[in-house]
Amino acid sequence: MTARAEPAAAPGPAAVADRTTEPAPPVIRPVGSRGLLVELATAEQTEALHAELLRRRADGSLPPVGEIVPGARTVLLDEFGSSAQARRLAAELPGWQVPPLTAGSGAVLEIPVRYDGPDLADVAALWGVAPDEVARRHAATEFRVAFCGFAPGFGYLTGLPEPYHVPRRATPRTRVPVGAVGLAGAYTGVYPRSSPGGWQLIGTAPRTVLWDTARTPAALLAPGTRVRFVPLDGERPSPDGDRPPDPGGPPDREERP
């Protein structure tokens, strides 16, 4: 019989505190002559840095920069006024004290949703609750758009606690309808058009147009936007005619959180 190794001792409080207060430093890479790509260890650090960059740009303490584009674990800063400004910020940024992300103070975008998704029961089983409780907990959460991608108008929304993170479907669907509300990993998203997809679908947002080229800006969601999902109480699931218009176009490759 092979002896089973004892589990390693849990780290003491001091070690845990050190991990909490001293996150891994960012990795900063040049992008062309007037851009920087900041790579971070966690999604939380990325959202916090993005919020800090926006705050500093608003108060004038950030060098002029054309674009600030967050990703899952990166923030791109592009089109500085000069290469010297980009190099200076690259040297200074690792020393910044970036506060943890807190609830924003801006307006909250409300997205009406019917919790009628085909994967609602599967998500309820993963959460260990009834389907109605999935709807209640999801609607009680305030979300924040962490970044955008995959298709025009698609936002990756964070806010659900880690116990409610769910895996993608083992077999993706070849077609997810426009307006579908899905979960994957740490993210919630609303499909702006029909496309392939592997997220767990828990509902439908029939009244929200996420991408409209006749609107300025065309995208309803932008990084940093606060979002809440509002249940459409008493509404029965309806045919595709009650979905927002599909902007069409060829489907993009399947998204991955």
Side-chain angles (χ1 to χ4, degrees), residues 110-182:
E110 294 188 345
I111 297 181
V113 58
R114 284 195 309 267
Y115 287 98
D116 59 356
D119 300 320
L120 184 62
D122 291 340
V123 171
L126 289 168
W127 287 13
V129 299
D132 286 351
E133 184 64 9
V134 172
R136 189 194 71 78
R137 295 185 188 187
H138 189 264
T141 301
E142 180 177 305
F143 293 88
R144 180 181 185 275
V145 181
F147 60 99
C148 299
F150 160 58
F154 190 94
Y156 290 77
L157 280 60
T158 56
L160 284 174
E162 188 171 354
Y164 301 144
H165 297 178
V166 299
R168 295 163 52 87
R169 285 172 51 85
T171 303
R173 292 180 170 91
T174 57
R175 181 182 180 276
V176 174
V178 59
V181 179

Side-chain angles (χ1 to χ4, degrees), residues 39-127:
E39 300 177 356
L40 298 117
T42 68
E44 292 77 15
Q45 290 179 32
T46 304
E47 290 191 68
L49 176 62
H50 177 246
E52 179 68 5
L53 287 164
L54 294 182
R55 185 191 68 77
R56 293 190 182 216
R57 181 161 69 174
D59 69 18
S61 61
L62 186 72
V65 60
E67 292 188 274
I68 302 175
V69 183
R73 301 286 189 277
T74 62
V75 179
L76 172 68
L77 297 100
D78 201 15
E79 299 180 9
F80 284 95
S82 68
S83 57
Q85 290 177 335
R87 291 194 300 271
R88 189 177 308 118
L89 185 64
E92 295 173 356
L93 196 148
W96 284 10
Q97 297 298 314
V98 178
L101 191 67
T102 57
S105 57
V108 176
L109 173 68
E110 294 188 345
I111 297 181
V113 58
R114 284 195 309 267
Y115 287 98
D116 59 356
D119 300 320
L120 184 62
D122 291 340
V123 171
L126 289 168
W127 287 13

Side-chain angles (χ1 to χ4, degrees), residues 9-10 34 43 50 63 70 96 109 131 140 167 173 182 186 193-194 198 206 209 220 229 237:
R34 295 188 298 138
H50 177 246
W96 284 10
L109 173 68
R173 292 180 170 91
R193 67 188 192 193
S194 61
V209 178
L220 182 65
F229 292 91

